[in-house]
Amino acid sequence: MRRGISIAAISALALTMAACGSSDEAKEDTQQPAPAQSAEGDGSAVAGELTIWADDTRSSQVAELSKDFTDKFGVKVNVVQKSESDMDKEFISQVPTGKGPDLIVLAHDRLGSLVSNGVVGTVDIADKAKDFSEAALSGVTYQGQTYGVPYAIENVALVRNNQLSKAEPKSFDEMLAAGKEANVEYPFIVQMGDKGDPYHFYGFQTSFGAPVFKQDDKGSYTTELTLGGEKGEAFADWLAKKGNEKVFDPAITGEIAKQAFLDGKAAFTVTGPWNVSAFREANMDITVLPIPAAGPEAAQPFVGVQGFFPSAKTENQLLVNKFLVDYLATEEAQQKMYDLGKRVPAMPAVAAKISDPDIQGFSEAGKSGAPMPAIPEMSAVWDFWGITEVDVVTGKQQPKEAWSTMVTNIENAIKK
Amino acid sequence: MSKAKTLAPQPKLSWGQWFKELGWRHLIGVLVIIYCAVPLAYVLSASLKKNANLTGSNKLFQEVSFANYARLSETDYWHWILNSLFISSFTAVGTVLMASAAAYAFSRYRFRGREATLTFLLLVQMFPQMLAFVALFLLLLALKDVFPVLGLNSQIGLICVYLGGALGSNTFLMYGFFKTVPKELDEAARIDGASHAQIFWGIIMRLVTPVLAVVGLLSFISSFGDFVIAKVVLQTPDKFTLAVGMYNWAADSRTAPWGLFAAGAVVAAVPVIILFQFLQRYIVSGLTAGGVKG
Amino acid sequence: MDQSTVKTKRFDRFDLSWGFWVKVALMALINALGVYGLLAAWAAESYLTLAVVLVTLIIADVIYFSRRFIPAKYLFPGLAFLLVYQVFVMGYTGFVSFTNYGTGHNSTKADAITQILAQHQKRVPGSPTINTTVVEKNDKLSLAIWDAEKKAVLVGNMQHPLTLVEGAKANDKAITEVPGYQVLKFADLVKRQQEVAGLKAPLTDDPNDGFYVTTDGTKGFLAKSDFRYDEEKDELLDTTNNVVYQPNGEGAFADPEGNTIMPGWRVPVGFANYTNMAHGSDLAWPFFNALVWSFIFAIFSVVSTFAFGLLLALVFHDKRIRGRKIYQSLFILPYAFPAFLSTLVWKGMLNTKFGFINEVLLGGAEIPWLTNGTLAKVSILGVNLWLGFPYMFLICLGALQALPEDIMEAAKIDGAGPIRTLFSVKLPLILVSTMPLLIASFAFNFNNFSLIYMLTGGGPNYPGASLPVGETDILISMVYKIAFEGGSQNYGLASALSILIFLVVGVISYFGLKRSNAMGED
């Protein structure tokens, strides 16, 4: 045998080479233009294809929707499944390289951060604007510019177990009373978790007149905090009181709240449309109601807008426009998205056709809602907000002091 | 099992002796198994429940339905598991080869920069990888222009990334082991005219089988469970590994299909256990030790 | 071909064995691949890749075709992968730590300008959507628009404002023919999408009057941009109020009063990311707490998992135990499950009220496992022991194999009991071979972000603290919160903190390794 042959080392390299044998991998490359395909009847070929990022829940819906688009326009669409929790971060870091996706499906509250990073492109939907609800449009609009096309609106509402109660409470106390009559473990249950859940609690907070940021006369959020002050502290007091009565409990996570409601242990809960299918599968008889006010004013839950947003550096600008304006902004596509995802449609014309009482209930509850702030400052708020709610509910901190410290901390965090 | 029996031909012990020698070991074993198994029983129970949760489903095995397992076929799960097996197997083999080659060089040769290289290997792994995704993305992007097969969304590209971490602690594990193989063995072979490759393949590698098996297993498990790097590299569901796919399921806690998730995890543990069963006899065989002595 | 250091005649003439051919074949492949890579890199104009491929290839050829460099033959493959995939990542992080890369500063200046202009380009209120078409003349694109009032077709592009073209054919749906120009079909447009998307046909010479743009080639509208960029002066002008914005040296355009417009771009900021940390006084005490806890967590995790793993390995090393294989297989179960799943399960099981541990095992006790500071730390260590001991068990099992049996026998003959043998003979030997692994495990746990993040999220938080950091935050999870959750993503700062953590852990490990003498002579 010949000496000096380090077969081990070389075989390791051979792995790399085996790799290169399978050159078909390269052909599947999503970034490359697809082979020409026939398009819209004129017999000419369309080069190019679209890549869309969507999270686990929506990727199959978007893939289904895209099939119709491909049939109609002859443009291939690749749907890439991304993890919900960090797809926006990846979008922000990948778009500047020019290799990100063409479109991303997101809830609108992350729009502000995409805009200030310059990674989201603009869309002109002036012609279709009248077809969309105002709330949906405002979701894809940021500082007067439109950046996407909405397809659904999502918000939480009060869900009632009809076997346990028939009440349609207008106030929180009415609801608790009605729930107590049902004589179950939880008259009312809402998820909190050890980090708090200001999103689910927001309806109650706004009923005390303490929205998170001030809205200007056009309805856009400014960076002026309004969750503090007397009204905010009144909410904190109420939280402390209800925490003391064990109405709220950080040990109740989303799963526990859902399960308790499913098991018929709770008469009322605050939750979103994402849990409705589970309630139905369990053959529950439920009604979706607006959130009852805990304070003197109306309860306004956060309304999130789901939309498709283009990349600022897409190489397929025309196809993107075709997809967004000529396809997604049509009743047909919006109806399809509803059929696939069962969320309140962004087009009133589509919404009008819906007979599903639960979706209608969410739609009704969302009418009084306030859009989720999309400004990047919002992300400085969540942590302090949730944790303070937990501390107040558990009695770890005095409500008034806790609340005003929280406001100061958030203000400082925003300034940074 | 059978081997353990044949290897232990022992005179009958009295009960007291038996307990003193072996029985207490069984006691510890059972206790540890309980410690290991409680959370896993919980996962198993959740996987058998239609609408499962990871919190509060405290009455174990109340419901036994294989619906979640059946539903795995409706997803890309089986595809992912094949991807994972492919990636992890190649990573494990590559890691074993590279690390053992490196350990051979370190244990048998004194060369300039030897200690510096060893120190460097150890220090490189101290680096917090949290921000790796930005750099990794750029690197694979650049590679894609030249070697498309090593670029983004390529499983072979991912294997290469894993092999980038092959040396690290594995080299040290092997190095410690290689040192226990007496040098007289290879010196004798060398005098007989054997080349360094012959010594490496013919003598050393045969004597260190246990550690090769350990490193292979460790490498297999770590690439099998990794999702941090894999989710940057692999972009389309048909390329995903098990960990990436399941991480995506769990990412949105509002809609996460925990039952499916639990079933997926139970199935995912099977390859690792089978592999361990297979490698166990290498890891704990006393044969190699005898070989060294002889 | 290379030779071993000692050669004898007997082996010298064994040429051309299969090993040789394997080597030749592999080297041929590597060279083919390398040359392919060089050509591809040249074609793709990625010269850095080209240089790296070239150097690697030359080194590989020198090492494997030379008779010298025997250790290098064994080290090269692993090191090559290491340098490309790990050292590059470290270097890049180091580079980022000297920039302001993060929210608002994540791309180039050119991108930022394009984006600012695009974000401020809007349809003129009330202007209708009209039919357009893209036409070509001498390979230059122009936009043709249908003017409904004049009932005429106008053509223009950035160089030439819209002018009327006689004799064009158009109907309500589309412009079909423009004399002197070729009308492009959709498929052609798609091929030149970026050109088409950037196509602007100004009304007049004054861009403030607005310009027509097209969305998909066939439809367009009159748009106006509130901002204009002056390339020579390198400044942005807000045409609505005539405010001038100039680069402020920090990677953004700013007006004279210092108001900036986003997005900005990445610029080097020197040591700012490092010095800023020293100044943030509100960071001082959470930082100190996190530092102390990081050490406790990492050290205790290593010691506990190692002790437990070793104990099990010793106890079950005895070949007489029936069902030994079954025990051993069950012990590695925690390791066989994906760690993030196990962590999520533990989190559920440790829930104060509804967790399995409290509700079932402890009969309804409401012990705040994860929400009380001290208990949360204990829980984390407990969970990490569960997650980590199988690794140590496997390693110790391997290490026990390596113990020379003659030493054990010698100890027995000297009359040492099993406990003494363990502590004075076995343990030191095992420690020597596993010390580097223990140090690596220390480093891994020091940076074990995902466990902390998934189990407690760093909580419980310090009530009213000015940073959302908690009692169980280790350094790396604190870095994550400061850099990524406080309203923006600050890669520059996070990179700087990562580098610092690396230095701390690196120095400790280095000295630990020196003392253990694990690298030295055997």
Side-chain angles (χ1 to χ4, degrees), chain A residues 98 102 311-319, chain C residues 111 114 141 188-200 214:
Chain A
D102 298 301
S311 152
K313 289 189 85 169
T314 169
E315 288 170 6
N316 300 301
Q317 191 62 55
L318 297 193
L319 299 181
Chain C
D111 276 354
T114 317
L141 298 188
D188 301 318
L189 297 182
V190 170
K191 284 181 198 138
R192 303 171 72 168
Q193 291 190 59
Q194 274 163 315
E195 249 182 291
V196 175
L199 206 52
K200 286 176 188 172
T214 177

Side-chain angles (χ1 to χ4, degrees), chain B residues 96 170 173-174 177-178 208-216 282-283, chain C residues 398:
Chain B
V96 167
N170 295 318
L173 184 52
M174 294 215 179
F177 217 95
F178 276 47
V208 296
T209 336
V211 78
L212 299 185
V214 171
V215 167
Y282 295 103
I283 297 174

Side-chain angles (χ1 to χ4, degrees), chain B:
Chain B
M1 264 310 270
S2 60
K3 198 172 185 183
K5 272 180 205 160
T6 52
L7 276 174
Q10 46 200 267
K12 226 24 188 160
L13 298 167
S14 75
W15 197 88
Q17 268 177 318
W18 177 83
F19 187 83
K20 210 178 142 204
E21 289 282 315
L22 297 172
W24 63 276
R25 298 175 198 254
H26 287 285
L27 194 68
I28 291 181
V30 170
L31 288 177
V32 174
I33 286 173
I34 292 172
Y35 175 58
C36 288
V38 166
L40 303 180
Y42 196 86
V43 177
L44 191 63
S45 153
S47 75
L48 296 170
K49 203 166 167 237
K50 260 190 188 157
N51 284 311
N53 286 329
L54 290 187
T55 321
S57 313
N58 290 340
K59 289 177 187 138
L60 300 186
F61 303 109
Q62 262 204 326
E63 185 184 331
V64 177
S65 130
F66 288 91
N68 288 319
Y69 290 90
R71 266 175 67 209
L72 285 179
S73 317
E74 294 165 23
T75 66
D76 287 332
Y77 184 84
W78 299 108
H79 195 85
W80 294 341
I81 214 167
L82 288 179
N83 290 345
S84 277
L85 288 176
F86 167 77
I87 290 171
S88 300
S89 311
F90 272 86
T91 307
V93 172
T95 303
V96 167
L97 289 176
M98 284 187 185
S100 55
Y104 176 61
F106 286 125
S107 68
R108 288 304 188 263
Y109 293 92
R110 294 287 171 272
F111 51 93
R112 216 158 14 106
R114 174 177 169 276
E115 227 175 277
T117 318
L118 268 172
T119 315
F120 169 73
L121 279 187
L122 189 91
L123 291 185
V124 164
Q125 353 154 32
M126 309 282 150
F127 196 78
Q129 290 281 329
M130 203 183 70
L131 295 163
F133 69 99
V134 186
L136 207 54
F137 181 79
L138 287 170
L139 173 66
L140 294 177
L141 210 58
L143 277 176
K144 193 180 184 128
D145 290 337
V146 180
F147 299 105
V149 77
L150 298 183
L152 281 176
N153 203 22
S154 148
Q155 298 180 340
I156 290 157
L158 180 63
I159 293 174
C160 290
V161 178
Y162 286 148
L163 289 182
L167 292 193
S169 57
N170 295 318
T171 307
F172 283 99
L173 184 52
M174 294 215 179
Y175 176 55
F177 217 95
F178 276 47
K179 282 197 296 191
T180 65
V181 178
K183 273 200 172 155
E184 295 79 40
L185 282 178
D186 29 318
E187 265 154 28
R190 200 166 291 171
I191 289 163
D192 284 349
S195 72
H196 57 82
Q198 285 170 320
I199 294 171
F200 178 61
W201 288 106
I203 298 171
I204 309 269
M205 286 297 256
R206 286 183 198 180
L207 294 180
V208 296
T209 336
V211 78
L212 299 185
V214 171
V215 167
L217 184 67
L218 293 178
S219 158
F220 183 91
I221 292 177
S222 70
S223 55
F224 203 74
D226 167 75
F227 62 94
V228 179
I229 294 173
K231 98 185 153 62
V232 179
V233 179
L234 305 174
Q235 310 234 316
T236 49
D238 61 310
K239 298 279 174 66
F240 280 0
T241 61
L242 208 59
V244 177
M246 286 180 36
Y247 175 78
N248 281 355
W249 283 351
D252 188 350
S253 56
R254 296 195 308 200
T255 50
W258 293 122
L260 200 61
F261 189 84
V266 170
V267 177
V270 173
V272 178
I273 293 165
I274 291 177
L275 185 68
F276 180 71
Q277 287 301 339
F278 172 71
L279 292 176
Q280 203 178 50
R281 70 199 169 99
Y282 295 103
I283 297 174
V284 290
S285 70
L287 294 172
T288 42
V292 177
K293 275 195 295 180

Side-chain angles (χ1 to χ4, degrees), chain A residues 53-75:
Chain A
W53 280 8
D55 66 26
D56 175 52
T57 332
R58 294 187 195 93
S59 62
S60 57
Q61 300 165 15
V62 174
E64 199 57 42
L65 180 84
S66 306
K67 275 186 205 153
D68 285 11
F69 176 72
T70 306
D71 289 346
K72 253 185 135 165
F73 294 93
V75 178

Side-chain angles (χ1 to χ4, degrees), chain A residues 42 61 66 86-87 90 95 117 119 130 135 141-142 159 169 233 256 282 295 299 330 333:
Chain A
D42 64 353
Q61 300 165 15
S66 306
D86 35 32
M87 62 195 286
E90 283 184 35
V95 166
N117 277 304
V119 292
K130 59 180 187 313
T141 307
Y142 189 75
V159 180
E233 282 166 18
I256 288 174
T330 60

Side-chain angles (χ1 to χ4, degrees), chain C residues 28-323:
Chain C
L29 255 169
I30 288 176
N31 277 295
L33 198 68
V35 171
Y36 163 78
L38 290 176
L39 294 174
W42 181 263
E45 295 179 15
S46 42
Y47 299 114
L48 184 66
T49 320
L50 187 116
V52 173
V53 173
L54 187 67
V55 171
T56 316
L57 192 62
I58 291 174
I59 294 179
D61 280 331
V62 168
I63 287 178
Y64 290 108
F65 285 116
S66 150
R67 290 154 193 247
R68 298 172 56 222
F69 311 122
I70 294 168
K73 291 182 212 292
Y74 289 88
L75 286 172
F76 178 75
L79 283 180
F81 276 98
L82 182 83
L83 288 174
V84 172
Y85 289 102
Q86 302 237 299
V87 177
F88 169 79
V89 168
M90 289 168 59
Y92 185 79
T93 308
F95 164 70
V96 167
S97 73
F98 294 105
T99 69
N100 63 352
Y101 183 23
T103 297
H105 301 276
N106 75 337
S107 194
T108 60
K109 186 174 176 186
D111 276 354
I113 294 169
T114 317
Q115 222 12 55
I116 291 170
L117 295 180
Q119 286 174 3
H120 291 89
Q121 174 183 314
K122 281 171 218 161
R123 184 188 281 235
V124 171
S127 88
T129 299
I130 54 154
N131 289 332
T132 66
T133 195
V134 178
V135 294
E136 183 191 345
K137 187 187 200 171
N138 303 333
D139 207 36
K140 282 195 94 179
L141 298 188
S142 300
L143 190 65
I145 65 155
W146 171 245
D147 189 324
E149 272 175 41
K150 293 184 195 153
K151 297 219 179 291
V153 169
L154 305 170
V155 176
N157 61 24
M158 246 351 224
Q159 284 75 40
H160 308 284
L162 285 168
T163 43
L164 200 119
V165 176
E166 299 285 353
K169 280 187 193 161
N171 55 32
D172 288 348
K173 286 191 184 124
I175 302 165
T176 50
E177 225 182 291
V178 183
Y181 294 88
Q182 198 197 338
V183 173
L184 292 188
K185 292 212 166 88
F186 185 66
D188 301 318
L189 297 182
V190 170
K191 284 181 198 138
R192 303 171 72 168
Q193 291 190 59
Q194 274 163 315
E195 249 182 291
V196 175
L199 206 52
K200 286 176 188 172
L203 276 183
T204 63
D205 284 332
D206 182 1
N208 288 338
D209 291 339
F211 42 82
Y212 277 92
V213 290
T214 177
T215 52
D216 63 354
T218 61
K219 297 267 187 300
F221 55 85
L222 184 64
K224 240 182 183 177
S225 181
D226 293 343
F227 275 83
R228 218 165 343 130
Y229 177 63
D230 188 326
E231 225 165 296
E232 273 167 32
K233 290 187 201 152
D234 191 18
E235 55 187 35
L236 274 173
L237 174 72
D238 184 343
T239 53
T240 55
N241 53 11
N242 283 324
V243 173
V244 175
Y245 291 81
Q246 285 175 317
N248 63 356
E250 288 163 21
F253 281 106
D255 68 8
E257 279 150 36
N259 301 313
T260 54
I261 17 179
M262 287 287 122
W265 58 95
R266 287 165 76 160
V267 288
V269 292
F271 283 89
N273 286 318
Y274 293 88
T275 50
N276 283 351
M277 278 182 292
H279 291 171
S281 58
D282 53 344
L283 272 178
W285 67 269
F287 196 86
F288 179 75
N289 283 347
L291 184 73
V292 171
W293 165 234
S294 296
F295 275 107
I296 296 175
F297 166 69
I299 292 171
F300 192 87
S301 292
V302 174
V303 171
S304 66
T305 51
F306 180 69
F308 196 37
L310 179 64
L311 176 83
L312 287 182
L314 286 170
V315 169
F316 288 90
H317 189 56
D318 195 319
K319 291 193 185 75
R320 293 170 301 169
I321 300 170
R322 280 177 181 231

